Amino acid sequence: MGHPMIQLDNLDLKIMLGKLVLNVLYIKSGFFYHSMPEHRHSNGSYELHYIPSGHGSLVAEGREFPLSPGSLYMTGPGVKHEQITDPSDPMFEYCIFFEALPSGRHHHERLHGRSGDDSEDVCEIARLFLNTPFWIGQDNQQLQLVFEKLAWEINARAIGYRRCITILLEQTVFGLVRNYTNNRPTLQTEPLKTLDDKRMVLIENNLLYNYKHITIKTLAGQLGLSIRQTERAVRKQYGMSLRDKLQEARLQEAARLLDATLLTIGAIAEQVGYHTPESFTSHFKKWHGVTPSAYRARLARTNPVSPAEENR
């Protein structure tokens, strides 16, 4: 089975997880045709390994662990380990080498305009990453798809690729820690809409579905605001008064009905909330530049009915 290749060892790329900064030293992939001799990483160094195909074994701190498709393992500071491949079925490996930067260098990064996510979940992920120098198991987070997407981004180098690579690398760290914790539930509660967000949704829904009947007074009551505050909120959102916005909503619906139905001008006027056809025609012409009848006639010329439709 072919796997997309990755070879990236000269990109200045850092991931910020709360107060933790991970410097990505390299991202590589390839087949193990020869075993890797015993070695250990220096302080602050973490190497993530993912095996999408092939077989072999990992010897870590004197213990041997079988490696097979889907194996995922982390070797951190001071962990003695060696990889032994099966010559009859060589392993393919994706590997990312991280350096956990000291806090002083972290402040340097912040001075350059980068900021990490300080949410409770992310801080816990950072803590677990640092405090787990060795872990091995079968991946249950579909990390192969992440590595394949990472390979595509690195090789394509399309616009925004650096940002996409950073996001995908964050996903690998999150996926790794989720494997550690067996999908521990989130520590966070879902953020709720702010009061202003709820009010904007309420205004929007009234303009879409209740434009014939809503008044500034009833809308203010629904929003829990004064009439003046309500007018200000509508003008800020739409750049016009509520009266003009309601007029726009009525006339947009009228234009749709002229196009999509055979209703009379009088019936459309009544349906969109005008008391007389004359008032409707006057407002429609002011807004659209033509009378409703002329608007419908222009649509008929632009979109003539086919003979098949006429004979239905």
Side-chain angles (χ1 to χ4, degrees), residues 189-201:
T189 55
E190 287 298 318
L192 301 176
K193 282 188 173 67
T194 65
L195 185 57
D196 283 345
D197 290 336
K198 291 179 181 178
R199 284 169 174 161
M200 285 303 103
V201 171

Side-chain angles (χ1 to χ4, degrees), residues 247 251 269 273-285:
Q247 189 88 272
L251 294 171
Y274 288 92
H275 296 300
T276 66
E278 292 77 17
S279 175
F280 166 60
T281 297
S282 174
H283 283 100
F284 191 94
K285 184 176 181 180

Side-chain angles (χ1 to χ4, degrees), residues 7-187:
Q7 182 71 32
L8 193 64
D9 54 13
N10 60 353
L11 185 66
D12 178 20
L13 192 65
K14 295 176 177 61
I15 302 171
M16 301 193 69
L17 304 173
K19 295 180 179 180
L20 172 64
V21 179
L22 293 178
N23 187 24
V24 181
L25 296 177
Y26 62 70
I27 313 168
K28 296 181 179 180
S29 67
F31 282 97
F32 270 90
Y33 293 111
H34 304 285
S35 297
M36 181 72 68
E38 184 178 273
H39 59 289
R40 69 175 74 191
H41 302 305
S42 61
N43 289 338
S45 298
Y46 295 79
E47 197 168 40
L48 183 153
H49 310 257
Y50 176 73
I51 309 295
S53 66
H55 290 81
S57 60
L58 170 73
V59 178
E61 296 295 335
R63 294 181 60 194
E64 186 169 355
F65 303 88
L67 297 175
S68 60
S71 290
L72 175 72
Y73 60 100
M74 167 64 80
T75 51
V79 176
K80 290 190 295 185
H81 61 286
E82 62 178 308
Q83 291 110 313
I84 302 169
T85 193
D86 180 348
S88 65
D89 187 16
M91 295 182 295
F92 186 89
E93 179 188 76
Y94 288 110
C95 178
I96 306 175
F97 195 18
F98 299 99
E99 175 194 19
L101 297 182
S103 58
R105 290 171 71 181
H106 163 68
H107 294 311
H108 175 74
E109 293 299 325
R110 284 197 179 273
L111 289 174
H112 282 74
R114 303 181 190 177
S115 59
D117 182 344
D118 293 324
S119 66
E120 194 173 0
D121 268 5
V122 170
C123 290
E124 179 66 1
I125 285 170
R127 185 188 70 79
L128 289 166
F129 182 94
L130 285 177
N131 293 338
T132 311
F134 177 71
W135 183 88
I136 184 169
Q138 286 296 113
D139 171 50
N140 62 21
Q141 297 295 312
Q142 298 185 317
L143 285 181
Q144 182 169 341
L145 298 177
V146 179
F147 278 107
E148 289 173 355
K149 178 63 175 173
L150 192 57
W152 186 92
E153 288 288 350
I154 290 170
N155 293 318
R157 292 187 176 241
I159 185 170
Y161 97 103
R162 183 186 176 91
R163 178 61 180 152
C164 287
I165 289 172
T166 303
I167 292 169
L168 289 165
L169 287 169
E170 287 179 354
Q171 279 189 260
T172 62
V173 173
F174 286 18
L176 174 72
V177 173
R178 284 178 170 181
N179 274 289
Y180 290 174
T181 60
N182 196 27
N183 288 322
R184 178 194 298 176
T186 179
L187 300 172

